[in-house]
Amino acid sequence: MPTLLAVRVGVDMLVALAFWGLMRRYPGIGGPSWWGFASLVSIVGSVGLWLRGSAPDALAFGLGNTALCMIPLLFWMGVRSYLHLPRPMVHVALVGTLTLVAQLVFLLVWDLPRMRMASFALVTITVTVLALRDMVRADPLKRVPEMQALKLLTALEMLALIVFALTVLVAGLSVASVAPTALFFFMLAGLLRAVLCSALVAYRLRADGDRARQDLQLREANSRALIDNLSAGVVVYRPNHTISSINSAARRFFGWSEGGANPALAEPTGAGWQMLRGDGQPMRRHEMPFEHVLATGLPVRNVVVGVPVGGGDTVHWALCNGYPESDAQGGLRHVVLTFIDITSLKTAQGEQKALQAQLAQSQKMEALGTLAGGVAHDFNNILAAILGNADLARQDLAHDAPARESLHEISTAARRGRELVRQILAFSRQQPAERTRVDVGAILAETCGLMRSAVPPHVQLLHECHPETPAVLADATQLGQVLINLGTNAVHALEGRAGRVECHLDSVPASDPCLPADVAATCAKAGVGAVRLRVSDNGCGMSEAVRSRIFEPFFTTKAVGRGTGLGLPVVLGIVQVHGGAIDVQSRPGQGTTFTLYFPAAPDSPLPPTPDPVAATKTADPVTMTLRPPEDPETDRTETPSMAEALPAEQPHILYLDDDDTLVFLVRRLLERRGYCVTAFTDQQQAVKAVSENPQGFHLMLTDYNMPGMSGLDVARAVLALNPKLPVAVASGYITDELQAEAKAAGVREVVFKTDAVEAFCEVVARLVKPD
């Protein structure tokens, strides 16, 4: 018996140390602490049995039996702690106390060994049954082999305890004869129980590990799904430039396939994956976000990068952020780059810049138009006075007088100033436009015929008109001016070398993608197509910097004296006033192509095509920029004697202008042609003269822009006195509104003031004739 007790004490001590190690290593598992405590209590019970006969009975029997009763109770508490069930500590203390009291009472008060044995067996069996109940509930489906084995062992222990109790209590055998066998059995059962409890701890560790791995895999799957469905691109690079992971948005941004990440695919730094800075220039290697993070270990934020895709034809723009991801030892594990696609924003910014450039161009045009309107009145008066007085002086001189050459140069310079004013007014859209249904093909043929005689022989001038090109609503003279200006620039672009200038005319439907948006909208609204006119050359071409400024007023690349810088602005003004648009394509050394789009006119018969010869004779002098300047000595025909054309009664002309120089000039011009002229510089005096003699005048010529009463106000006042009096108004800038107001006021004709010197006599001769 002492040997068995010594072995039991040694086994319990080893078991207690083993559970103590498990408790320290895995504090989250509650069972080992209780089971280790049960082993220590088992040592106390073994010592109590060992001391029987040599120690007081109260200590040997009372404390020893109580300790042996506490072993299954502590085991049960360990099972509940392992299963995360409540541990009733008060009940444990109460059961231990009651057991100790019962053992002492049946020992010291009534010495009843059988009652001590019965109370010991009852407590032990009850606690074992409760432990079995909890183990059955913990694994109802019997999926844990370790729990099933421990449950079977506990049942065997309970059965053995019942057998030993019945052997002593019923069969009458002595405790001393049964004790060695029972002690050996329960020592082996306790050792096996310790092994099974350790197996349960290992099972819990495996289950927790599997659960943790499943949770980790689930979190990783959720993270991957979240990242993969982000609109922002995410790329995780290894330090060796290979990709660890990449989401779909990044693949779309880089133009890669939607397949899995290719670990051999390097970070895009090659020629096909060159990153661009925000200004469109290639990034240097140290500027690239990945290289910057890799070199410095610091994050980068909000770097605008561009990545050419599709062979470099398209550039995707992104706002890039990058940060390093370190391992537990602080070493660089990954470099994470995120890309927020801002391609649409970049495109919108480009469109905004283009709109701002258009707005600036419009503001320049508006400023120049305002300037032209403000100075045209005084400037035209000055030019008219110069031209008129030079003409009068020439008439007063002999044909071979030396001063005629000087007067010729004065007239030439004044005419150049007159055409400059016309170009400014055309650019600012202040010239009157008589828009009718015209055949652009006929105008193109006439213009090319006019230019062919003026271009050098080594320049080929070609034109092609599609036979089904529709007509447009336009001013034929202004369209001719557009073609002359574009053709002149094309010839100049050849810089004296052999080359060709080609003009192509055709039509495009309103749905054609090449059609500008505003023209397409106009055509779609009217249900018509568009007329496309292309003027191209194979000359020197233009750089992007020059091309962006060609429509700026007074901007020119020609030598001093060869251009005013108003040709293309005039073209732009005329095209826009006709509801059209211009597209310019040019490359240095490869030539230039101007493409003009005009909305087609609604279907209706075309007017008769004008005679090219007659058209050449009546064309606006501004459109004849390829001809030499007109020579008054050779081109001007002698004015016929007005006495032959005048009626018997000398016509009386009333002339009104606030410029006394022009009043003096017009009086002299008209009086030389046999008219009686009454001139005023004050509006009220002119109205008073008509009121005093309403029938005494055959024609009234008045300036429009005057301080106080305008020319239309004077015309209304005069016509109120004599409704039959012909009235003509002269202006340096004529708008559609002015023509409409003049017609409503009863004015017979509106005269362009720059042409007043030549046109006044023609207007007078036409208006003084009786109807």
Side-chain angles (χ1 to χ4, degrees), residues 237 241 267-277 281-296 298-300 303-308 320-322 335 337 339:
Y237 288 103
H241 290 199
E267 194 264 347
T269 56
W273 296 103
Q274 179 65 59
M275 287 188 175
L276 306 178
R277 297 198 303 259
Q281 298 299 317
M283 272 188 175
R284 297 176 181 175
R285 190 170 185 85
H286 70 274
E287 295 177 328
M288 295 182 180
F290 172 82
E291 296 292 343
H292 183 83
V293 175
L294 189 62
T296 64
L298 300 176
V300 294
V303 178
V304 177
V305 298
V307 177
C320 180
N321 292 272
V335 174
L337 298 183
F339 299 88

Side-chain angles (χ1 to χ4, degrees), residues 612-631:
V613 177
T616 303
K617 292 180 180 179
T618 59
D620 191 322
V622 177
T623 67
M624 307 306 172
T625 55
L626 291 180
R627 294 191 305 173
E630 75 177 69
D631 186 353

Side-chain angles (χ1 to χ4, degrees), residues 366-409:
E366 182 181 0
L368 185 58
T370 303
L371 175 64
V375 304
H377 175 261
D378 294 334
F379 194 43
N380 283 332
N381 286 349
I382 295 172
L383 293 176
I386 294 173
L387 287 170
N389 283 290
D391 190 23
L392 290 176
R394 191 183 298 110
Q395 294 176 17
D396 292 338
L397 292 175
H399 186 72
D400 56 351
R404 292 181 68 90
E405 184 177 356
S406 299
L407 292 173
H408 166 65
E409 294 299 327

